[in-house]
Amino acid sequence: MAKTPKTSTLPEARKTPLTVDDLWALQRLGAPSLSPDGAQAVAALSSFSMEDNKASSALWLLSTQGGGPRLLTTGGEKDGNPRWSPRGKLIAFTAKREQEGAKDETQQLYLIAPDGGEAHRAASVATGVEAFRWCPDGRRLVFVSWVWPELKGTAAQAKKHKEFKDRKESGYVTSEAQYRFWDHNLPMGRVAHLHLLEPAASGNASQAKVRDLFEGTPYELGRADPDANHFDISPDGKRIVFSFDPATEKRVDGRFALAELDIKSGKISVIAKDAAWDFAAPRYSPDGARVAFLASHQGRKHTMPAQLALWHRDGNAWEVVSSEWDHEVQAPLLWEDDGLALLLLAEQKGRKHLWRFDLADKRAEVVVEGGWVGAFDKAAGTLVTVADSATHPGRMHAHLAGAAPLRIETFNDTLLSGRDSARVDEVWIKGAAAVDDGPKEDVQLWLAYPPGFDAKKKYPVLHVIHGGPHTAFGDVWHYRWNAQVMAAQGYVVAMVNYHGSSSFGYAFLDSITHRWGELELQDVEAATDWLLKKPWVDRKRIFATGGSYGGYMVAWMNGHVKPGRYAAYVCHAGCFDWVGMFADDAYTWHAKELGAWYWDDMARVHSQSPHAYAATMRTPTLVVHGALDYRVPDAQGLAYYNTLKALNVDARLLWFPDENHWILKPRNSKLWYEEYFGWLKRHDPGAKGK
């Protein structure tokens, strides 16, 4: 008789809460690209070193049938944006590497065989490669590079680039209305052009053929980080469709049109243009007879959503096809092989799904449900997605017809298996009434509970208010404001999707226009009231924090909420003074959002500006800002901090000389979390070991 095995008496390994160090030990998946037969996906995987205080990335191959992933590149520090060639023989990617004794000064395009070997530089482009697409023949590529438009030929561009690099002056000179974006000045005197690249058969980068397709024309791509969504190549490889701003003076809120370029002749024709509409992200249909794109009716209102539109070569006319669907369509667009539908991303009630939009009946259906689907690709009937949620970082799945989704990587599973996860719930509360004397409207509230939550105990509440304002706190893994890390500190983390948030329909999103702060505050306060009725909430330990527009909100709350309701605030990159905010990179939107230019109606602008209510601010505040933040210039944070100090309000400043709107360096992020939690603990009457 077989013996009954003994029950193990070894204690189960104890799980620990997620820490900031864990957060930076996680590896982050990039967007996938599928091989033509759908059998393999390639993606960049980013890793971070707290010791070295930097990031690195390499390319990995993943089988859509299952099995272990395979490392493809090792020679570069930041290999990224991989794309499989149409015939499957090569994978192209961007990188800065050292090869044949030459170290890249700018990002270049590299090619590697999927079965491995050494990657080689496709061409030496002095002005660098920003983004690219393969031509259907698999022999040529089209890429984006910033060039001096008055020069002709790659030799002239290379000479000018060297002269500019070697110059002794540091001044930036411009007459442009749009001259900076996010955290950098636009390349001085340069614009983004499309180029045609034919790599040499020998693999020698110096023998590659490069032609500026916009040379000698007034055309350029958009100046706000032009990427591969700005253009597409026709299935026959003869034409390129691209979006461009037809205005003489380029602005960040310019209304783009679509044009088509004949690659052989260089002739460019405008195919879709309307002064009231903004067009983006064009994609050719499989037969090349139509172009799908995003269209936003900016002439009606600046908050109008991007809708799915089609241009028809037969008749040279365009139409909006998703006007009855109250969802904002997001790039990229991907045609189904039969040309009858498109795959696209769109948010819905705090989640982002992958949808299929059927053109015949103009109906959308969910293909892959979020969480938060961040990227996807499809080839030969195989679909791959990268999606995360509030409980896990990005994961890649293969979706084959008739089969359950198949997880095809486990990069972070070992680390996360030893961590105790916070439970995340979705609840709905009654918030503000968007219309005077109208009914109070339902507002979504996400709650993350501390690991081991016990409803019989008392917990502090930590509001985390999202930015935008026209974004949402979704079912998403957020590295900069991670609810799991925050809940692990013992807080019930509350994330309100206030009026103005995306994913709840256009009326909800537009309801705050010209009256910023009003409805959003009512929603946050309604959430606080709802929470205070829970027996597990310690009413003396309520905190509010936020970044960007969320930072604006906590500054607004400091001037509008009775002191004592919130024990402390944290304001990260928050808007404080709407007149001073005119130094930002998006100043042309101010009057659209606030209802007036400050010189026309100062009272109206000030009525929505936190600084105008400084006299009533009494709540202790940690102010955080980065010097490279051009969306909300750091003078906003400094002015808020100085104001609180002048008012003798307890305040602390965390200022980074090398960070932008976000905190991206590992060591700086760790310091950010340390200061964040330290500030809350300092003002927490129930904290232990203060």
Side-chain angles (χ1 to χ4, degrees):
M1 179 183 293
K3 294 183 178 180
T4 303
K6 294 181 179 180
T7 303
S8 173
T9 58
L10 293 175
E12 183 179 347
R14 184 177 179 181
K15 293 187 176 183
T16 58
L18 193 72
T19 67
V20 178
D21 287 296
D22 293 332
L23 200 63
W24 284 95
L26 294 171
Q27 296 176 300
R28 307 182 193 182
L29 268 169
S33 173
L34 274 170
S35 59
D37 61 3
Q40 296 185 89
V42 61
L45 186 71
S46 297
S47 303
F48 300 84
S49 169
M50 190 65 72
E51 181 179 352
D52 297 332
N53 197 34
K54 64 180 184 179
S56 62
S57 60
L59 305 187
W60 286 76
L61 288 175
L62 304 100
S63 170
T64 58
Q65 305 295 322
R70 178 166 65 86
L71 182 63
L72 180 63
T73 64
T74 57
E77 289 189 356
K78 292 186 179 181
D79 299 342
N81 306 308
R83 284 182 180 269
W84 220 291
S85 68
R87 298 180 182 179
K89 295 182 178 180
L90 291 169
I91 293 171
F93 63 97
T94 56
K96 290 176 70 174
R97 291 176 157 225
E98 184 171 352
Q99 195 168 84
E100 298 176 355
K103 189 173 183 179
D104 297 329
E105 295 180 354
T106 55
Q107 184 172 264
Q108 299 294 315
L109 187 66
Y110 281 82
L111 302 173
I112 189 171
D115 57 359
E118 182 66 27
H120 67 273
R121 193 182 296 121
S124 296
V125 183
T127 50
V129 174
E130 299 294 322
F132 69 93
R133 284 189 183 276
W134 282 96
C135 290
D137 60 15
R139 296 186 298 104
R140 300 172 300 164
L141 303 100
V142 175
F143 68 86
V144 181
S145 187
W146 288 80
V147 300
W148 285 269
E150 71 277 8
L151 301 181
K152 293 185 178 181
T154 56
Q157 296 288 342
K159 180 181 178 183
K160 181 69 173 181
H161 184 268
K162 185 179 186 307
E163 291 173 351
F164 188 84
K165 181 176 65 71
D166 294 341
R167 72 179 188 139
K168 305 302 180 183
E169 303 83 6
S170 61
Y172 185 94
V173 183
T174 187
S175 297
E176 299 287 349
Q178 184 182 1
Y179 57 93
R180 51 170 32 183
F181 180 73
W182 194 251
D183 62 357
H184 60 278
N185 287 335
L186 301 185
M188 192 168 78
R190 295 157 67 186
V191 296
H193 279 190
L194 289 176
H195 295 70
L196 182 67
L197 164 64
E198 185 173 347
S202 64
N204 189 328
S206 64
Q207 296 176 354
K209 297 178 181 178
V210 176
R211 175 161 64 98
D212 184 343
L213 296 172
F214 288 173
E215 187 176 279
T217 78
Y219 291 95
E220 61 177 88
L221 297 184
R223 299 182 179 184
D225 284 354
D227 60 22
N229 287 321
H230 283 65
F231 68 98
D232 194 25
I233 306 168
S234 64
D236 62 8
K238 295 180 179 180
R239 296 177 295 273
I240 298 173
V241 63
F242 62 93
S243 59
F244 74 101
D245 185 351
T248 301
E249 184 171 67
K250 314 303 181 188
R251 295 177 180 269
V252 71
D253 60 346
R255 297 172 188 173
F256 280 58
L258 300 182
E260 192 174 51
L261 177 146
D262 183 283
I263 294 178
K264 185 176 181 179
S265 69
K267 181 181 178 181
I268 298 177
S269 304
V270 176
I271 62 172
K273 177 182 176 182
D274 190 309
W277 289 79
D278 180 39
F279 301 151
R283 292 301 300 270
Y284 281 106
S285 62
D287 62 1
R290 292 165 293 168
V291 173
F293 59 99
L294 305 183
S296 174
H297 197 173
Q298 293 291 292
R300 179 175 295 174
K301 205 167 189 180
H302 74 287
T303 53
M304 289 298 291
Q307 299 173 299
L308 181 63
L310 287 180
W311 172 78
H312 301 267
R313 188 175 303 281
D314 181 15
N316 192 27
W318 66 275
E319 61 172 331
V320 174
V321 296
S322 68
S323 57
E324 300 303 315
W325 191 46
D326 194 9
H327 291 66
E328 171 128 36
V329 178
Q330 299 180 15
L333 304 175
L334 183 61
W335 285 86
E336 293 280 34
D337 290 341
D338 59 13
L340 300 178
L342 288 112
L343 298 178
L344 52 86
L345 297 172
E347 299 174 23
Q348 180 171 286
K349 296 182 179 179
R351 295 178 173 87
K352 186 191 284 189
H353 309 310
L354 176 64
W355 306 74
R356 177 184 291 107
F357 192 92
D358 186 88
L359 296 174
D361 58 14
K362 299 181 180 179
R363 179 178 57 86
E365 63 176 354
V366 175
V367 178
V368 178
E369 187 174 336
W372 203 264
V373 181
F376 68 96
D377 195 16
K378 188 174 184 180
T382 298
L383 171 70
V384 290
T385 58
V386 174
D388 59 356
S389 79
T391 57
H392 65 78
R395 295 173 176 172
M396 190 180 297
H397 286 82
H399 309 263
L400 285 75
L406 175 66
R407 178 93 179 275
I408 59 175
E409 54 72 38
T410 57
F411 290 119
N412 294 309
D413 287 16
T414 299
L415 188 155
L416 291 175
S417 66
R419 300 298 177 264
D420 203 355
S421 180
R423 188 181 95 231
V424 179
D425 286 347
E426 171 192 8
V427 300
W428 291 80
I429 62 173
K430 290 295 180 182
V435 179
D436 291 342
D437 300 323
K440 292 184 177 180
E441 297 179 339
D442 291 338
V443 169
Q444 187 185 54
L445 170 64
W446 294 101
L447 295 173
Y449 302 90
F453 175 80
D454 184 348
K456 295 179 181 179
K457 296 181 179 180
K458 296 282 188 180
Y459 294 89
V461 170
L462 176 60
H463 275 286
V464 178
I465 306 173
H466 74 72
H470 304 309
T471 59
F473 231 120
D475 184 7
V476 62
W477 186 269
H478 202 303
Y479 282 97
R480 293 179 300 280
W481 294 76
N482 189 269
Q484 292 286 331
V485 171
M486 292 173 176
Q489 295 289 316
Y491 299 98
V492 173
V493 183
M495 298 156 281
V496 183
N497 275 325
Y498 51 75
H499 278 80
S501 300
S502 59
S503 78
F504 301 94
Y506 175 70
F508 190 87
L509 178 144
D510 187 57
S511 62
I512 68 171
T513 303
H514 300 172
R515 51 171 175 172
W516 278 10
E518 178 187 335
L519 302 181
E520 308 92 295
L521 178 56
Q522 293 179 48
D523 292 338
V524 174
E525 286 286 78
T528 299
D529 289 340
W530 184 89
L531 286 159
L532 287 173
K533 294 176 183 177
K534 301 300 176 183
W536 37 265
V537 168
D538 188 335
R539 61 186 311 111
K540 294 181 180 180
R541 303 170 69 195
I542 313 295
F543 304 88
T545 70
S548 193
Y549 194 84
Y552 162 85
M553 279 304 303
V554 294
W556 182 260
M557 291 165 70
N558 209 347
H560 288 80
V561 177
K562 184 178 179 180
R565 182 168 171 89
Y566 297 93
Y569 295 130
V570 177
C571 175
H572 173 100
C575 312
F576 179 63
D577 173 3
W578 284 118
V579 176
M581 270 288 291
F582 224 73
D584 71 8
D585 67 340
Y587 64 91
T588 57
W589 270 306
H590 288 206
K592 298 176 183 180
E593 295 283 9
L594 301 173
W597 298 112
Y598 72 83
W599 54 84
D600 288 332
D601 193 343
M602 184 71 83
R604 185 170 192 173
V605 172
H606 277 182
S607 71
Q608 301 168 77
S609 188
H611 88 285
Y613 303 90
T616 57
M617 293 179 176
R618 295 292 182 271
T619 303
T621 300
L622 169 65
V623 179
V624 186
H625 229 111
L628 301 181
D629 188 348
Y630 297 166
R631 183 56 48 94
V632 181
D634 68 331
Q636 293 289 300
L638 298 178
Y640 185 28
Y641 174 74
N642 291 351
T643 297
L644 294 174
K645 298 301 286 187
L647 290 167
N648 294 316
V649 176
D650 189 8
R652 186 172 177 84
L653 175 68
L654 174 58
W655 179 84
F656 294 97
D658 55 348
E659 297 285 5
N660 58 27
H661 202 56
W662 302 328
I663 307 304
L664 301 177
K665 294 181 173 64
R667 288 289 183 91
N668 285 345
S669 174
K670 187 171 184 177
L671 175 61
W672 185 97
Y673 276 105
E674 289 172 350
E675 287 289 335
Y676 182 94
F677 292 134
W679 180 257
L680 298 177
K681 184 177 180 181
R682 171 178 165 181
H683 293 280
D684 186 344
K688 297 179 181 180
K690 286 181 60 178

